[in-house]
Amino acid sequence: MPDLAAVAPNIVLCTLNARYIHASLGLRYLLANMGDLKAQTAMREFTIARKPQEIALELLALLGPQQDGVAQIIGLGVYIWNVTQSTELVRLLKAARPAVRMVLGGPEVSHEVELQEITRLADFVVTGWGDVSFPKLCRALLHGPQPVMKVIRGEQPPLNEIALPYGECSDADLAHRLLYVEASRGCPFKCEFCLSSLDQTAWAFDLEKFLAAMHALHQRGARHFKFVDRTFNLKIDTSVRILQFFLERLTDDLFLHFELVPDHLPQRLKDLIVQFPPGVLQFEIGVQSFNPEVQSRISRRQDNARTEANLRWLTQASHAHLHTDLIFGLPGETLESFAAGFDRLYALRPDEIQLGILNRLRGTPIARHSAAHAMVYDAEPPYTVLQTGVLDADTVQRFKHFVRYWDLLASSGRFKQTLPLLLEQDQPSPFHAFLAFSDWLWRRTEKTCELSPELLVDALADYLCGACGMNRQDVQQALLSDYTGSGARSNPHALQGLLPKQPAPTMRKPKRLAQRQGRHLDPDQALR
Ligand code: B12
Ligand code: SF4
């Protein structure tokens, strides 16, 4: 029986992920770079759904009893999605064991440090990159000389001096979680709503070393790779090498996610993209706004004509799944100008249009517009815009309903046949058509959650046949195809007598349904 106190780690790296499926890449970097301290370091991940009390107890049990003269350190990764729970966790840990050294890091505590409750409660804060500075701080805490500064600016060494983290991914991570990988850090662009606009440039990891690590992961069975590079198509030589690497390993189960800037798609990249069959490539393309005035106000350089041409090419010539983003509430963006951007994007028929509402992230330069554009933001994370000089609070609220219903009807992929009936009628535009439906559904239900597939089917039938006067048979046909195609097997009122006869329900049915719906949902959206 080993002596538990002797094997207990005295450094614990911890974070609260948004959901279990998101494994923390940042924490794995820190662990991989602990050097001589690695043997005494443990990593523990939780989700934001866990109670801070339970997490605190688990962390303290892991550290074991305090021993004289040996520092115990907890490093906590703090992000916008976990800062509320993390603040409570730090409070509990410091109350239970005041001697424990609480070190914070991560983007949420890297800016406006002095304004936050969590940083007040903690002992140390490392801002920016933690790969080198966290182990250095631990060494100082364990062996002296003791650090004098509470806030430490994280060093940014050349990337080839940082150990890659992929060896820290367990087999369970590879089997059950999204595998985040990173071929470069930073972004050269300056979009003011985004934290990456503070980076001076983008830095690339040594490509051969990176690909060797991807090869090792692939050999271990990894097939889903989610690149967190801010702009995958920045250096085309690198993008080409990475795509070639995966083309050589093409299998049915391969899945690759990349973030792209929309107006840069040279022929060399196109030539490779077309070689990937359906289901392998997913591109997340932030369009954010098509409004040139707003784009220039927030320092977002984007060639709209080229963006449109590239999106059109991708939808028509490639098999890539296109996930596009728009942001509502940017300074000076009206409901009408946003609607025009939405319609322009919808006309290109990307697979998904994800609608976000502006968040004022700590440290981002968008704050400079707050006074001039009468921007009011929620003081609580994720600091969502509540009103602007050209959008009153009711309009923002109205749009929130729109977003929720859009997620349920469009992004979920569950109403592929019915959605065109709704959007492409004689309304002024698809945006206004959906807005009219959204207003109607809100008046009817006064809720944006607990809307079952059956309730949505019935609501769509009533709206399209009633308010819009469409032919009932056409509407029923579209709804029937969507409803049965989604795997749902209940009996909505609007489809009575049309559904194929089902065997008597069994206890396992709801679970199978939930799993099937889960596949349609983007994990990132399921979070909202
Ligand atoms: C993956 C991801 C997510 C995942 C969650 C992942 C998880 N673990 O649960 C999902 C998709 C759910 C998500 C959601 C959102 N995200 Co996000 N996301 C990312 C992304 C793409 C990758 C993170 C990553 O792995 N980076 C790579 C690692 C190496 O960097 P890192 O995590 O920053 O870690 C380094 C340092 O921060 C530091 N560090 C980290 N932990 C610790 C701990 C200690 C002790 C120390 C000393 C240092 C330290 O050292 C690490 C190595 O240098 C980043 C963008 C990016 N490329 O970084 C955005 C990013 C983190 N997200 C961001 C935002 C704004 C959001 C959303 C609000 C977006 C939206 N509008 O909906 C939502 C949050 C929703 C909510 N409920 O609040 C912002 C950060 C905001 C913030 N202050 O935290 C980022 C930076 C994007 C950006 N450029 O603006 N996101
Ligand atoms: S939005 Fe994209 S392109 Fe703009 S600064 Fe952020 S990461 Fe870079």
Side-chain angles (χ1 to χ4, degrees):
M1 186 75 175
D3 173 6
L4 278 182
V7 294
N10 52 2
I11 306 171
V12 178
L13 280 164
C14 169
T15 196
L16 279 59
N17 293 313
R19 295 198 310 152
Y20 169 75
I21 194 166
H22 301 287
S24 167
L25 182 59
L27 231 53
R28 284 169 177 73
Y29 267 108
L30 265 51
L31 185 59
N33 285 278
M34 290 305 287
D36 54 329
L37 300 180
K38 196 164 175 195
Q40 63 203 80
T41 309
M43 183 178 80
R44 283 293 178 277
E45 290 174 279
F46 302 88
T47 70
I48 50 175
R50 276 292 294 279
K51 287 199 173 77
Q53 288 90 336
E54 289 174 13
I55 300 176
L57 286 175
E58 207 171 311
L59 292 176
L60 292 174
L62 180 66
L63 281 169
Q66 182 88 51
Q67 291 177 18
D68 281 350
V70 184
Q72 293 189 320
I73 304 165
I74 298 180
L76 188 61
V78 188
Y79 297 80
I80 195 167
W81 54 81
N82 68 22
V83 59
T84 306
Q85 295 85 339
S86 298
T87 307
E88 186 53 20
L89 177 61
V90 177
R91 193 193 317 279
L92 290 165
L93 286 166
K94 288 301 286 183
R97 196 173 294 176
V100 78
R101 309 278 83 188
M102 282 301 317
V103 182
L104 307 181
E108 183 67 2
V109 290
S110 292
H111 308 276
E112 304 179 4
V113 181
E114 65 294 345
L115 301 181
Q116 302 189 49
E117 174 68 357
I118 190 167
T119 54
R120 194 186 62 73
L121 292 165
D123 298 289
F124 297 96
V125 183
V126 177
T127 63
W129 298 9
D131 320 76
V132 168
S133 299
F134 181 70
K136 250 190 196 169
L137 174 61
C138 290
R139 248 167 242 126
L141 289 172
L142 290 166
H143 310 301
Q146 291 301 306
V148 277
M149 304 293 286
K150 171 167 175 167
V151 181
I152 295 151
R153 202 188 155 114
E155 282 176 46
Q156 292 199 5
L159 286 184
N160 62 11
E161 290 176 18
I162 293 178
L164 295 183
Y166 307 107
E168 309 304 333
C169 298
S170 67
D171 290 343
D173 293 338
L174 298 196
H176 306 298
R177 308 175 78 184
L178 287 173
L179 189 57
Y180 287 112
V181 299
E182 192 189 40
S184 67
R185 268 192 198 172
C187 180
F189 300 109
K190 295 279 164 275
C191 318
E192 293 179 24
F193 56 82
C194 173
L195 257 187
S196 304
S197 67
L198 302 177
D199 299 334
Q200 263 117 49
T201 182
W203 302 270
F205 283 91
D206 180 281
L207 189 55
E208 295 315 316
K209 250 163 96 178
F210 173 76
L211 290 178
M214 294 305 100
H215 178 67
L217 284 175
H218 190 267
Q219 293 282 79
R220 287 177 59 199
R223 293 295 180 270
H224 289 209
F225 296 83
K226 199 162 178 186
F227 280 70
V228 298
D229 301 48
R230 271 56 158 196
T231 34
F232 174 67
N233 54 340
L234 194 62
K235 295 230 165 64
I236 298 303
D237 283 344
T238 308
S239 328
V240 162
R241 278 281 285 124
I242 292 174
L243 287 184
Q244 273 166 343
F245 170 90
F246 284 110
L247 261 183
E248 287 159 15
R249 291 160 181 79
L250 196 59
T251 41
D252 280 354
D253 52 352
L254 187 66
F255 173 80
L256 307 170
H257 171 106
F258 300 105
E259 295 198 19
L260 258 56
V261 279
D263 51 3
H264 186 51
L265 212 56
Q267 192 57 43
R268 280 195 304 149
L269 204 51
K270 289 181 175 173
D271 290 344
L272 277 166
I273 290 172
V274 291
Q275 295 181 46
F276 285 87
V280 179
L281 289 183
Q282 174 167 286
F283 292 148
E284 181 161 347
I285 302 183
V287 176
Q288 318 307 9
S289 171
F290 265 124
N291 182 338
E293 207 184 297
V294 171
Q295 287 169 341
S296 110
R297 182 170 299 126
I298 59 159
S299 317
R300 183 172 170 87
R301 282 195 349 234
Q302 182 172 293
D303 181 327
N304 288 339
R306 221 184 274 171
T307 295
E308 264 181 321
N310 286 341
L311 285 172
R312 191 168 296 113
W313 180 86
L314 283 165
T315 52
Q316 292 172 0
S318 85
H319 295 298
H321 180 95
L322 296 193
H323 176 119
T324 55
D325 298 319
L326 286 174
I327 300 180
F328 184 77
L330 288 166
E333 186 89 272
T334 62
L335 186 68
E336 278 317 309
S337 69
F338 183 86
F342 177 97
D343 291 335
R344 202 165 161 182
L345 186 55
Y346 180 73
L348 299 165
R349 297 291 189 280
D351 298 283
E352 265 182 69
I353 300 179
Q354 187 176 326
L355 303 170
I357 303 186
L358 179 65
N359 306 121
R360 192 203 69 84
L361 305 181
R362 289 186 186 278
T364 51
I366 199 142
R368 75 190 177 100
H369 299 292
S370 291
H373 288 271
M375 310 291 288
V376 179
Y377 297 96
D378 194 340
E380 296 300 314
Y383 321 112
T384 309
V385 74
L386 299 174
Q387 65 183 74
T388 76
V390 291
L391 295 170
D392 60 23
D394 287 346
T395 307
V396 174
Q397 200 53 36
R398 192 177 170 206
F399 185 73
K400 280 190 180 161
H401 302 153
F402 184 117
V403 173
R404 179 62 189 143
Y405 298 147
W406 181 258
D407 283 350
L408 287 170
L409 267 66
S411 307
S412 69
R414 302 181 86 251
F415 290 95
K416 283 203 162 81
Q417 308 295 324
T418 315
L419 200 63
L421 295 182
L422 181 60
L423 297 186
E424 291 157 30
Q425 31 169 329
D426 281 343
Q427 290 277 346
S429 79
F431 179 87
H432 288 97
F434 198 85
L435 185 62
F437 170 71
S438 166
D439 290 344
W440 178 91
L441 187 59
W442 174 253
R443 279 196 306 274
R444 174 172 162 142
T445 61
E446 289 200 343
K447 57 183 184 182
T448 53
C449 52
E450 293 165 5
L451 295 168
S452 66
E454 293 72 33
L455 185 147
L456 291 174
V457 165
D458 287 338
L460 279 163
D462 286 354
Y463 182 75
L464 292 172
C465 303
C468 306
M470 284 187 192
N471 177 292
R472 181 163 294 276
Q473 264 186 337
D474 293 347
V475 171
Q476 278 180 326
Q477 207 173 6
L479 283 169
L480 183 65
S481 154
D482 284 337
Y483 186 71
T484 49
S486 76
R489 291 288 180 273
S490 198
N491 204 2
H493 185 72
L495 301 181
Q496 295 259 314
L498 299 175
L499 284 161
K501 287 247 174 323
Q502 291 298 313
T506 67
M507 290 303 284
R508 292 182 58 206
K509 226 168 197 156
K511 187 159 175 247
R512 283 213 303 274
L513 172 62
Q515 281 167 349
R516 178 158 185 136
Q517 287 170 9
R519 276 211 303 274
H520 284 283
L521 274 179
D522 184 292
D524 303 353
Q525 293 188 10
L527 184 84
R528 293 157 187 244

